[in-house]
Amino acid sequence: MNSTEQDKKRILIVDDDPEISESTRLALEALGYEVEVARDGSTGLALAERRRPDLMILDMMMPKRSGFLVLETLRQIDDFPTRIIMITANEGNRHKEYAEKLGVDAYIRKPFPMDELIDAIERVLSER
């Protein structure tokens, strides 16, 4: 993907862990993406509805509204165009199966190497 295509791509990171959200933001901005960060599910949902990012990186366990509640709400919006990568420290397969049922584009378990996340982002955004 060339830099002019990436310049147009908006990514919303919704994660209450400041270390993960900041390191991810810095890595993605260095690659030319436009990045916004929300630290809880309610703020993330409001930003997603208002800004319509190309991609959301959505944590499962957060204050105010879980990633699942955010995802369920977004999936009720018929024309919602955003692709979603869910990240979680949860090891259970039941959560992964539910996330996939709700249509996540990728599911990544924490801790993850940054290049794994970047590979998933580039793959998901190239599928549009």
Side-chain angles (χ1 to χ4, degrees), residues 14-74:
V14 185
D15 195 320
D16 61 319
D17 183 325
E19 192 173 307
I20 289 175
S21 58
E22 282 306 299
S23 61
T24 303
R25 180 184 66 78
L26 292 170
L28 295 177
E29 286 178 346
L31 292 170
Y33 293 103
E34 180 185 322
V35 182
E36 287 188 273
V37 175
R39 296 286 164 89
D40 64 72
S42 294
T43 304
L45 179 60
L47 276 172
E49 290 176 323
R50 189 168 62 250
R51 301 278 294 154
R52 300 282 175 130
D54 297 293
L55 175 75
M56 268 178 88
I57 299 169
L58 181 61
D59 186 20
M60 183 188 297
M61 305 299 285
M62 292 180 292
K64 297 188 182 176
R65 189 181 298 236
S66 75
F68 278 135
L69 289 175
V70 171
L71 188 54
E72 289 167 351
T73 303
L74 292 177

Side-chain angles (χ1 to χ4, degrees), residues 3 5 12 30 32 35 39 45 47 52 68-69 73 75 81 86-87 89 107-108 114 124-125:
S3 63
E5 287 179 74
L12 174 59
V35 182
R39 296 286 164 89
L45 179 60
L47 276 172
R52 300 282 175 130
F68 278 135
L69 289 175
T73 303
R75 291 305 183 224
M86 183 164 268
I87 57 174
Y107 187 92
I108 298 175
M114 189 59 68
V124 166
L125 288 175

